[in-house]
């Protein structure tokens, strides 16, 4: 079923290039979970395979995502742009987690939504959920919210370019710093031409590079927190944890992500190999998003969706505003 969803998402993207394949994949997953003749299969016989796709294939896709990052390309942007992106990531992540806790969102939703907005959408949520050991429903809800806002950005941001007076370079860097998923960045930036697209992708890759240190930092924080709780005699397993398993500081797939980044930076891989790896990465992430989308239960999302939607909107305003100010100061 995940493979069928990928095939349909690829077809939709080919017919409508403005629709990223990954966005189509999660929409198809959500649809499959609610269509009368499919939902019984999705919740029954297909559930183990879709869960496997949402977790294991997501990790494999994140590993290959490391091949998209060349440290030389990132360094070429200059320290000012790198600092701008780091500030945007920090403000978005910290602000979203804080606001989500203040809004009393349940489980790991604040953490997952913050990660998706700050780094790279669904793939970052999948990476963080492995460390936080989050409930599948929380992961699916976070992916749905982040994907929805990222999809809206494809329409909204190009309309704001002229009123804000942004040239191609400034617009590209704003898109790269403020839009969530890589495919959504490409779809948004290409409306302003090749210069904007190049700048957007390079800035976006800086955000992707932040995935490993952010996941490692959260893993270390969770380990210390659980150790403190154990010393105080409190339960050590968070919501969704499997048997109180200790969160790894650097999961294996994050180490693989870093290894792929180092390999790309050596310049040893030919262009054909990088292109093939990118295509495989897209397919793996699409299959993962079909699996995650199939775990979304819209009635539950609607019942508790007011606060989730409000958090998503506020986080979107934060990342767009901070990145816009940063671009004006640095570009």
């Amino acid at each position: 079923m995940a493979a069928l969803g990928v095939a349909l998402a690829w077809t939709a993207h080919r017919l409508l290039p403005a629709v990223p394949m990954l966005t189509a994949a999660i929409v198809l997953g959500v649809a499959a979970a609610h269509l009368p003749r499919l939902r019984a299969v999705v919740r029954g016989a297909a559930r183990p395979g879709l869960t496997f796709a949402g977790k294991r294939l997501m990790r494999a896709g994140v590993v290959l995502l490391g091949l998209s990052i060349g440290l030389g390309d990132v360094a070429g942007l200059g320290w000012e742009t790198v600092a701008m992106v780091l500030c945007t990531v920090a403000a978005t992540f910290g602000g979203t987690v804080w606001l989500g806790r203040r809004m009393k969102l349940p489980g790991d939703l604040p953490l997952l939504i913050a990660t998706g907005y700050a780094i790279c959408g669904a793939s970052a949520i999948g990476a963080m959920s492995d460390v936080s050991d989050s409930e599948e429903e929380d992961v699916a809800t976070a992916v749905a919210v982040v994907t929805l806002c990222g999809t809206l950005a494809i329409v909204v941001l190009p309309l704001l370019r002229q009123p804000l007076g942004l040239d191609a370079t400034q617009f590209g860097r704003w898109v790269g710093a403020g839009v969530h998923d890589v495919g959504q960045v490409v779809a948004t930036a290409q409306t302003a031409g090749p210069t904007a697209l190049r700048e957007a992708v390079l800035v976006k890759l800086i955000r992707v590079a932040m995935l490993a240190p952010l996941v490692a930092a959260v893993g270390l924080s969770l380990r210390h927190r659980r150790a403190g709780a154990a010393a105080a005699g409190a339960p050590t397993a968070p919501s969704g944890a499997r048997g109180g398993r200790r969160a790894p500081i650097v999961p294996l797939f994050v180490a693989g992500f870093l290894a792929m980044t180092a390999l790309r930076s050596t310049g040893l891989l030919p262009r054909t190999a990088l292109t093939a790896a990118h295509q495989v990465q897209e397919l793996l992430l699409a299959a993962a998003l079909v699996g995650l989308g199939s775990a979304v239960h819209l009635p539950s999302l609607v019942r508790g969706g007011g606060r989730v939607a409000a958090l998503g909107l506020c986080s979107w305003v934060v990342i767009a505003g901070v990145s816009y100010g940063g671009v004006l100061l640095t570009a």
Side-chain angles (χ1 to χ4, degrees), residues 124-157:
I125 292 172
M128 185 62 76
S129 68
D130 191 66
V131 171
S132 61
D133 217 359
S134 305
E135 295 282 1
E136 187 177 18
E137 184 177 352
D138 287 348
V139 177
T141 300
V143 168
V145 171
V146 173
T147 301
L148 175 61
C149 288
T151 302
L152 291 175
I154 298 174
V155 178
V156 174
L157 265 61

mmCIF file of all heavy atoms in Angstrom, residues 124-157:
data_model
loop_
_atom_site.group_PDB
_atom_site.id
_atom_site.type_symbol
_atom_site.label_atom_id
_atom_site.label_comp_id
_atom_site.label_asym_id
_atom_site.label_seq_id
_atom_site.Cartn_x
_atom_site.Cartn_y
_atom_site.Cartn_z
ATOM 1 N N ALA A 124 12.409 15.700 9.538
ATOM 2 C CA ALA A 124 12.928 16.087 10.848
ATOM 3 C C ALA A 124 12.022 15.574 11.966
ATOM 4 O O ALA A 124 12.506 15.148 13.016
ATOM 5 C CB ALA A 124 13.057 17.607 10.927
ATOM 6 N N ILE A 125 10.715 15.624 11.752
ATOM 7 C CA ILE A 125 9.781 15.089 12.747
ATOM 8 C C ILE A 125 10.020 13.602 12.952
ATOM 9 O O ILE A 125 10.034 13.105 14.083
ATOM 10 C CB ILE A 125 8.332 15.359 12.314
ATOM 11 C CG1 ILE A 125 8.035 16.858 12.369
ATOM 12 C CG2 ILE A 125 7.345 14.601 13.209
ATOM 13 C CD1 ILE A 125 6.688 17.242 11.775
ATOM 14 N N GLY A 126 10.214 12.879 11.858
ATOM 15 C CA GLY A 126 10.491 11.455 11.971
ATOM 16 C C GLY A 126 11.767 11.177 12.738
ATOM 17 O O GLY A 126 11.836 10.257 13.557
ATOM 18 N N ALA A 127 12.807 11.984 12.484
ATOM 19 C CA ALA A 127 14.066 11.799 13.197
ATOM 20 C C ALA A 127 13.910 12.084 14.684
ATOM 21 O O ALA A 127 14.388 11.330 15.536
ATOM 22 C CB ALA A 127 15.146 12.694 12.589
ATOM 23 N N MET A 128 13.233 13.176 15.018
ATOM 24 C CA MET A 128 13.056 13.532 16.426
ATOM 25 C C MET A 128 12.171 12.535 17.149
ATOM 26 O O MET A 128 12.409 12.221 18.330
ATOM 27 C CB MET A 128 12.461 14.936 16.531
ATOM 28 C CG MET A 128 12.349 15.452 17.962
ATOM 29 S SD MET A 128 13.956 15.587 18.783
ATOM 30 C CE MET A 128 14.605 17.068 18.010
ATOM 31 N N SER A 129 11.147 12.018 16.476
ATOM 32 C CA SER A 129 10.243 11.081 17.139
ATOM 33 C C SER A 129 10.951 9.803 17.547
ATOM 34 O O SER A 129 10.561 9.156 18.516
ATOM 35 C CB SER A 129 9.063 10.746 16.214
ATOM 36 O OG SER A 129 9.486 9.983 15.089
ATOM 37 N N ASP A 130 12.018 9.439 16.829
ATOM 38 C CA ASP A 130 12.756 8.233 17.192
ATOM 39 C C ASP A 130 13.511 8.435 18.501
ATOM 40 O O ASP A 130 13.638 7.518 19.306
ATOM 41 C CB ASP A 130 13.730 7.879 16.072
ATOM 42 C CG ASP A 130 14.339 6.500 16.263
ATOM 43 O OD1 ASP A 130 13.594 5.509 16.180
ATOM 44 O OD2 ASP A 130 15.559 6.410 16.518
ATOM 45 N N VAL A 131 14.000 9.642 18.726
ATOM 46 C CA VAL A 131 14.709 9.939 19.965
ATOM 47 C C VAL A 131 13.737 10.125 21.119
ATOM 48 O O VAL A 131 13.952 9.630 22.228
ATOM 49 C CB VAL A 131 15.583 11.200 19.787
ATOM 50 C CG1 VAL A 131 16.150 11.654 21.125
ATOM 51 C CG2 VAL A 131 16.717 10.919 18.820
ATOM 52 N N SER A 132 12.641 10.855 20.871
ATOM 53 C CA SER A 132 11.666 11.114 21.933
ATOM 54 C C SER A 132 10.722 9.943 22.165
ATOM 55 O O SER A 132 9.977 9.939 23.143
ATOM 56 C CB SER A 132 10.846 12.360 21.588
ATOM 57 O OG SER A 132 10.138 12.184 20.377
ATOM 58 N N ASP A 133 10.748 8.951 21.248
ATOM 59 C CA ASP A 133 9.887 7.771 21.359
ATOM 60 C C ASP A 133 8.422 8.184 21.437
ATOM 61 O O ASP A 133 7.671 7.744 22.303
ATOM 62 C CB ASP A 133 10.276 6.942 22.576
ATOM 63 C CG ASP A 133 10.158 5.448 22.293
ATOM 64 O OD1 ASP A 133 9.757 5.091 21.184
ATOM 65 O OD2 ASP A 133 10.478 4.657 23.202
ATOM 66 N N SER A 134 8.019 9.054 20.511
ATOM 67 C CA SER A 134 6.686 9.645 20.554
ATOM 68 C C SER A 134 5.620 8.682 20.053
ATOM 69 O O SER A 134 5.891 7.756 19.295
ATOM 70 C CB SER A 134 6.665 10.915 19.690
ATOM 71 O OG SER A 134 7.669 11.810 20.093
ATOM 72 N N GLU A 135 4.389 8.936 20.480
ATOM 73 C CA GLU A 135 3.246 8.176 19.998
ATOM 74 C C GLU A 135 3.052 8.429 18.504
ATOM 75 O O GLU A 135 3.266 9.544 18.011
ATOM 76 C CB GLU A 135 1.975 8.602 20.742
ATOM 77 C CG GLU A 135 1.964 8.283 22.226
ATOM 78 C CD GLU A 135 1.649 6.825 22.507
ATOM 79 O OE1 GLU A 135 1.463 6.068 21.527
ATOM 80 O OE2 GLU A 135 1.572 6.446 23.686
ATOM 81 N N GLU A 136 2.616 7.397 17.794
ATOM 82 C CA GLU A 136 2.428 7.505 16.351
ATOM 83 C C GLU A 136 1.395 8.580 16.013
ATOM 84 O O GLU A 136 1.538 9.310 15.020
ATOM 85 C CB GLU A 136 1.997 6.158 15.769
ATOM 86 C CG GLU A 136 1.945 6.131 14.251
ATOM 87 C CD GLU A 136 1.587 4.756 13.712
ATOM 88 O OE1 GLU A 136 1.066 3.930 14.484
ATOM 89 O OE2 GLU A 136 1.826 4.514 12.519
ATOM 90 N N GLU A 137 0.365 8.713 16.845
ATOM 91 C CA GLU A 137 -0.664 9.717 16.584
ATOM 92 C C GLU A 137 -0.091 11.132 16.680
ATOM 93 O O GLU A 137 -0.439 12.015 15.889
ATOM 94 C CB GLU A 137 -1.823 9.551 17.568
ATOM 95 C CG GLU A 137 -2.983 10.500 17.308
ATOM 96 C CD GLU A 137 -4.144 10.271 18.260
ATOM 97 O OE1 GLU A 137 -4.108 9.278 19.009
ATOM 98 O OE2 GLU A 137 -5.084 11.088 18.252
ATOM 99 N N ASP A 138 0.810 11.365 17.657
ATOM 100 C CA ASP A 138 1.448 12.671 17.770
ATOM 101 C C ASP A 138 2.304 12.970 16.548
ATOM 102 O O ASP A 138 2.311 14.102 16.041
ATOM 103 C CB ASP A 138 2.317 12.733 19.030
ATOM 104 C CG ASP A 138 1.503 12.828 20.309
ATOM 105 O OD1 ASP A 138 0.284 13.077 20.213
ATOM 106 O OD2 ASP A 138 2.074 12.642 21.400
ATOM 107 N N VAL A 139 3.032 11.962 16.081
ATOM 108 C CA VAL A 139 3.881 12.145 14.905
ATOM 109 C C VAL A 139 3.027 12.491 13.691
ATOM 110 O O VAL A 139 3.330 13.425 12.940
ATOM 111 C CB VAL A 139 4.721 10.875 14.638
ATOM 112 C CG1 VAL A 139 5.559 11.043 13.367
ATOM 113 C CG2 VAL A 139 5.628 10.571 15.819
ATOM 114 N N ALA A 140 1.955 11.740 13.494
ATOM 115 C CA ALA A 140 1.097 11.970 12.334
ATOM 116 C C ALA A 140 0.453 13.354 12.380
ATOM 117 O O ALA A 140 0.367 14.043 11.357
ATOM 118 C CB ALA A 140 0.020 10.888 12.266
ATOM 119 N N THR A 141 0.009 13.777 13.565
ATOM 120 C CA THR A 141 -0.607 15.100 13.691
ATOM 121 C C THR A 141 0.393 16.206 13.395
ATOM 122 O O THR A 141 0.096 17.174 12.681
ATOM 123 C CB THR A 141 -1.175 15.285 15.107
ATOM 124 O OG1 THR A 141 -2.167 14.274 15.356
ATOM 125 C CG2 THR A 141 -1.805 16.653 15.268
ATOM 126 N N ALA A 142 1.614 16.076 13.923
ATOM 127 C CA ALA A 142 2.652 17.081 13.676
ATOM 128 C C ALA A 142 2.992 17.164 12.198
ATOM 129 O O ALA A 142 3.136 18.259 11.632
ATOM 130 C CB ALA A 142 3.899 16.755 14.496
ATOM 131 N N VAL A 143 3.123 16.018 11.551
ATOM 132 C CA VAL A 143 3.434 15.998 10.115
ATOM 133 C C VAL A 143 2.312 16.675 9.327
ATOM 134 O O VAL A 143 2.572 17.446 8.388
ATOM 135 C CB VAL A 143 3.651 14.555 9.639
ATOM 136 C CG1 VAL A 143 3.679 14.487 8.108
ATOM 137 C CG2 VAL A 143 4.952 14.004 10.197
ATOM 138 N N ALA A 144 1.070 16.397 9.693
ATOM 139 C CA ALA A 144 -0.062 16.981 8.966
ATOM 140 C C ALA A 144 -0.063 18.501 9.082
ATOM 141 O O ALA A 144 -0.256 19.215 8.084
ATOM 142 C CB ALA A 144 -1.368 16.403 9.503
ATOM 143 N N VAL A 145 0.167 19.028 10.278
ATOM 144 C CA VAL A 145 0.146 20.479 10.484
ATOM 145 C C VAL A 145 1.291 21.149 9.735
ATOM 146 O O VAL A 145 1.106 22.157 9.034
ATOM 147 C CB VAL A 145 0.216 20.804 11.987
ATOM 148 C CG1 VAL A 145 0.416 22.293 12.213
ATOM 149 C CG2 VAL A 145 -1.039 20.328 12.694
ATOM 150 N N VAL A 146 2.494 20.603 9.869
ATOM 151 C CA VAL A 146 3.661 21.205 9.223
ATOM 152 C C VAL A 146 3.544 21.128 7.700
ATOM 153 O O VAL A 146 3.886 22.080 6.983
ATOM 154 C CB VAL A 146 4.952 20.521 9.710
ATOM 155 C CG1 VAL A 146 6.161 21.017 8.937
ATOM 156 C CG2 VAL A 146 5.151 20.789 11.202
ATOM 157 N N THR A 147 3.043 20.018 7.208
ATOM 158 C CA THR A 147 2.886 19.871 5.759
ATOM 159 C C THR A 147 1.849 20.843 5.221
ATOM 160 O O THR A 147 2.037 21.441 4.149
ATOM 161 C CB THR A 147 2.485 18.432 5.410
ATOM 162 O OG1 THR A 147 3.495 17.528 5.878
ATOM 163 C CG2 THR A 147 2.333 18.252 3.907
ATOM 164 N N LEU A 148 0.762 21.025 5.958
ATOM 165 C CA LEU A 148 -0.276 21.951 5.516
ATOM 166 C C LEU A 148 0.268 23.372 5.406
ATOM 167 O O LEU A 148 0.077 24.057 4.393
ATOM 168 C CB LEU A 148 -1.457 21.916 6.487
ATOM 169 C CG LEU A 148 -2.574 22.933 6.220
ATOM 170 C CD1 LEU A 148 -3.193 22.719 4.852
ATOM 171 C CD2 LEU A 148 -3.632 22.863 7.312
ATOM 172 N N CYS A 149 0.970 23.836 6.436
ATOM 173 C CA CYS A 149 1.506 25.198 6.400
ATOM 174 C C CYS A 149 2.589 25.346 5.337
ATOM 175 O O CYS A 149 2.672 26.384 4.674
ATOM 176 C CB CYS A 149 2.056 25.579 7.774
ATOM 177 S SG CYS A 149 0.770 25.865 9.017
ATOM 178 N N GLY A 150 3.407 24.315 5.151
ATOM 179 C CA GLY A 150 4.414 24.375 4.106
ATOM 180 C C GLY A 150 3.793 24.436 2.727
ATOM 181 O O GLY A 150 4.309 25.121 1.822
ATOM 182 N N THR A 151 2.686 23.737 2.557
ATOM 183 C CA THR A 151 1.986 23.770 1.264
ATOM 184 C C THR A 151 1.374 25.143 1.019
ATOM 185 O O THR A 151 1.423 25.671 -0.094
ATOM 186 C CB THR A 151 0.897 22.688 1.238
ATOM 187 O OG1 THR A 151 1.502 21.406 1.470
ATOM 188 C CG2 THR A 151 0.191 22.659 -0.108
ATOM 189 N N LEU A 152 0.808 25.748 2.059
ATOM 190 C CA LEU A 152 0.260 27.096 1.921
ATOM 191 C C LEU A 152 1.350 28.101 1.561
ATOM 192 O O LEU A 152 1.098 29.073 0.833
ATOM 193 C CB LEU A 152 -0.433 27.513 3.216
ATOM 194 C CG LEU A 152 -1.724 26.773 3.570
ATOM 195 C CD1 LEU A 152 -2.230 27.219 4.933
ATOM 196 C CD2 LEU A 152 -2.794 27.010 2.514
ATOM 197 N N ALA A 153 2.571 27.868 2.039
ATOM 198 C CA ALA A 153 3.674 28.787 1.744
ATOM 199 C C ALA A 153 3.973 28.844 0.253
ATOM 200 O O ALA A 153 4.425 29.877 -0.256
ATOM 201 C CB ALA A 153 4.922 28.361 2.515
ATOM 202 N N ILE A 154 3.737 27.738 -0.457
ATOM 203 C CA ILE A 154 3.984 27.714 -1.897
ATOM 204 C C ILE A 154 3.134 28.760 -2.599
ATOM 205 O O ILE A 154 3.555 29.350 -3.608
ATOM 206 C CB ILE A 154 3.690 26.305 -2.458
ATOM 207 C CG1 ILE A 154 4.622 25.272 -1.813
ATOM 208 C CG2 ILE A 154 3.840 26.270 -3.970
ATOM 209 C CD1 ILE A 154 4.299 23.838 -2.203
ATOM 210 N N VAL A 155 1.949 29.018 -2.066
ATOM 211 C CA VAL A 155 1.040 30.000 -2.660
ATOM 212 C C VAL A 155 1.262 31.393 -2.080
ATOM 213 O O VAL A 155 1.294 32.392 -2.807
ATOM 214 C CB VAL A 155 -0.424 29.569 -2.443
ATOM 215 C CG1 VAL A 155 -1.383 30.606 -3.006
ATOM 216 C CG2 VAL A 155 -0.679 28.201 -3.064
ATOM 217 N N VAL A 156 1.455 31.472 -0.759
ATOM 218 C CA VAL A 156 1.458 32.772 -0.083
ATOM 219 C C VAL A 156 2.757 33.543 -0.310
ATOM 220 O O VAL A 156 2.730 34.747 -0.621
ATOM 221 C CB VAL A 156 1.210 32.570 1.428
ATOM 222 C CG1 VAL A 156 1.357 33.895 2.175
ATOM 223 C CG2 VAL A 156 -0.170 31.978 1.656
ATOM 224 N N LEU A 157 3.913 32.905 -0.150
ATOM 225 C CA LEU A 157 5.178 33.633 -0.206
ATOM 226 C C LEU A 157 5.444 34.307 -1.546
ATOM 227 O O LEU A 157 5.896 35.469 -1.561
ATOM 228 C CB LEU A 157 6.328 32.709 0.185
ATOM 229 C CG LEU A 157 6.740 32.782 1.672
ATOM 230 C CD1 LEU A 157 5.584 32.380 2.572
ATOM 231 C CD2 LEU A 157 7.948 31.900 1.938
#
